[in-house]
Amino acid sequence: MKSILKDIVLMLCCSYTCIVSINVFIGDIPISTQELRQTFWLCAATSIVMKMILSVNYPKEWMVYVCSMLGMFLSVFGLGTFVFHLIPLEVSSYISITVAILFVYILCCFMIREMDKQAADAINEKLGSRKKITKEDHHGKDH
Amino acid sequence: MKLFIEECKDQEEVEITIRCASLDERLQKLIEHIHSCSLTIKGIWDNETRNIPLEEIYYFESVDDVTYMYCASRVYRCDKKLYELEKLLCTTSFLRISKSVILNVDCLSYVKPLFDGKFEAVLNNGEIVVVNRHYVKQFKKKFNV
C-alpha cells in the first residue's frame, strides 16, 4: 500500500509540474487558481489510472508502452474534457500534453531500467561463476 | 580448521561433530549451513506425504491461502504458511521475491530487468517468476550487488 501511494504521489507531482510548465513556458497562458486546482485533480486521477494500468503483468514489453500511452491519453482527454472542462478543448492540446508527460515518464523508466540492467549483469555474472564452481566440483568428484 | 571425513559402512545417519574453543561468527554460519542442508519440508502430493530436501525445491507460492511447493517436475501442497516458511528459511538460499512467492536462488538460471523496476527470474527448469519492486533491494543484497 505504501509503495502504491508513493508511486501515485510521484506520478502526480511529475505530471502536475509538467502540465503547469507547458502552460507557462510553451502555451504562455495565464492560469487561474481554479484551473490550477482542476489540473491538480486531473493529474491525481491520471496517476491513479496509470498505476492501475501498470499493475498488470503484460506478456510483452511493447504492450506496456501502448497501454500506458492509451491509458494516459484517454484519462487526460476524457477527464479533462468531460469532467473538468479544462482550458484547451482542442484534441491537439490534449495529445501534446499526453505525449509530453509520457515522454518524461518513459525517459525515467529507461533510466531506471539501465541501472537495473547493470545490476542484472552483475547478478548473472555471479550466478555463472557459481555454476562453474559447482560443475568443477562435480568434475573433481568424478575423477 | 581441520576437516576429518570417516567413511563407515555400518553408519546409518551422517554425524557431524564440531570441536572448537569457542563459537565465533564464521562457525555459527557454518552450523546454520549444516542445519539448512539437513532441513526438509513436508510436501503433500496425491494424498501422499513426503519430506522434500531444500535443494529440490525451486520456489514456494501461495495461491488462495494455500501454499504450494514447486520442484523440478512436481508441485506439492505445503501445510505451512508463507510467513512461517520465510522465518524458517531466512538463513538459507531462500528469499521472498513477491507477496506470494519465496524463491530458492540456487535454482536460478539468470535474471532480466523488466519495466517498472521489476526483475524477471528464469529458473533452471525454464520457469519464470517475477521479483517485485518492493523485494528487489533484498534480492540484490543476496548477491552482494
Side-chain angles (χ1 to χ4, degrees):
Chain A
M1 194 64 196
K2 217 172 124 188
S3 67
I4 293 172
L5 279 175
K6 209 167 83 183
D7 280 357
I8 290 172
V9 169
L10 193 73
M11 268 194 257
L12 162 66
C13 294
C14 289
S15 51
Y16 183 69
T17 318
C18 198
I19 291 181
V20 173
S21 311
I22 286 170
N23 269 301
V24 171
F25 298 113
I26 301 168
D28 211 17
I29 309 161
I31 315 168
S32 66
T33 323
Q34 196 206 350
E35 283 162 352
L36 277 175
R37 204 184 303 131
Q38 284 176 334
T39 313
F40 179 82
W41 287 116
L42 168 70
C43 290
T46 313
S47 307
I48 293 166
V49 172
M50 277 306 286
K51 185 65 203 166
M52 278 158 69
I53 291 168
L54 290 168
S55 305
V56 182
N57 279 331
Y58 296 92
K60 293 268 184 290
E61 205 182 294
W62 60 265
M63 288 180 183
V64 188
Y65 296 104
V66 172
C67 285
S68 35
M69 185 113 66
L70 275 174
M72 195 169 275
F73 176 70
L74 285 176
S75 49
V76 170
F77 182 65
L79 290 166
T81 317
F82 301 111
V83 184
F84 299 111
H85 307 290
L86 238 117
I87 333 130
L89 283 166
E90 296 121 52
V91 181
S92 60
S93 308
Y94 288 113
I95 293 176
S96 56
I97 291 173
T98 311
V99 170
I101 303 171
L102 209 66
F103 177 72
V104 175
Y105 176 73
I106 288 176
L107 202 74
C108 292
C109 284
F110 269 111
M111 274 162 64
I112 294 167
R113 241 188 77 155
E114 204 46 51
M115 276 153 61
D116 283 346
K117 241 181 201 170
Q118 286 174 7
D121 285 344
I123 291 171
N124 287 336
E125 211 171 278
K126 285 195 178 169
L127 282 170
S129 57
R130 203 194 270 181
K131 267 178 199 150
K132 213 173 162 188
I133 292 166
T134 324
K135 262 187 192 171
E136 274 167 11
D137 275 356
H138 280 293
H139 201 66
K141 271 178 195 169
D142 291 343
H143 287 285
Chain B
M1 196 186 285
K2 284 176 186 167
L3 182 69
F4 301 101
I5 300 167
E6 248 177 66
E7 272 186 55
C8 282
K9 288 265 153 55
D10 335 314
Q11 190 82 29
E12 278 181 10
E13 207 180 340
V14 178
E15 262 181 37
I16 298 167
T17 312
I18 294 172
R19 268 192 215 103
C20 60
S22 66
L23 273 178
D24 60 2
E25 207 182 312
R26 266 175 81 195
L27 214 49
Q28 201 68 51
K29 269 190 183 168
L30 180 68
I31 293 164
E32 275 172 10
H33 191 70
I34 293 166
H35 270 304
S36 68
C37 284
S38 57
L39 207 64
T40 56
I41 306 282
K42 213 189 277 174
I44 306 152
W45 183 76
D46 210 15
N47 291 329
E48 231 176 76
T49 308
R50 229 193 96 190
N51 283 322
I52 320 282
L54 287 189
E55 61 271 19
E56 280 184 27
I57 305 164
Y58 278 59
Y59 64 97
F60 294 95
E61 188 178 27
S62 171
V63 183
D64 294 331
D65 267 344
V66 182
T67 312
Y68 294 98
M69 194 156 62
Y70 292 77
C71 296
S73 56
R74 198 170 279 181
V75 182
Y76 295 89
R77 200 156 47 83
C78 180
D79 54 1
K80 283 192 166 55
K81 295 272 174 211
L82 222 55
Y83 71 89
E84 290 174 316
L85 287 165
E86 195 184 8
K87 212 172 165 187
L88 181 76
L89 306 171
C90 62
T91 54
T92 64
S93 55
F94 282 80
L95 178 81
R96 186 92 172 229
I97 57 159
S98 68
K99 222 174 170 185
S100 58
V101 177
I102 294 177
L103 173 74
N104 182 0
V105 290
D106 284 345
C107 296
L108 201 56
S109 179
Y110 63 92
V111 287
K112 224 166 72 178
L114 283 179
F115 196 80
D116 205 21
K118 291 174 187 167
F119 277 86
E120 187 179 88
V122 182
L123 309 184
N124 290 338
N125 62 350
E127 262 192 83
I128 296 169
V129 283
V130 173
V131 182
N132 267 1
R133 222 177 56 177
H134 184 71
Y135 299 91
V136 163
K137 208 174 164 186
Q138 286 138 276
F139 184 72
K140 284 180 186 169
K141 213 174 157 189
K142 192 88 175 170
F143 293 94
N144 296 323
V145 172

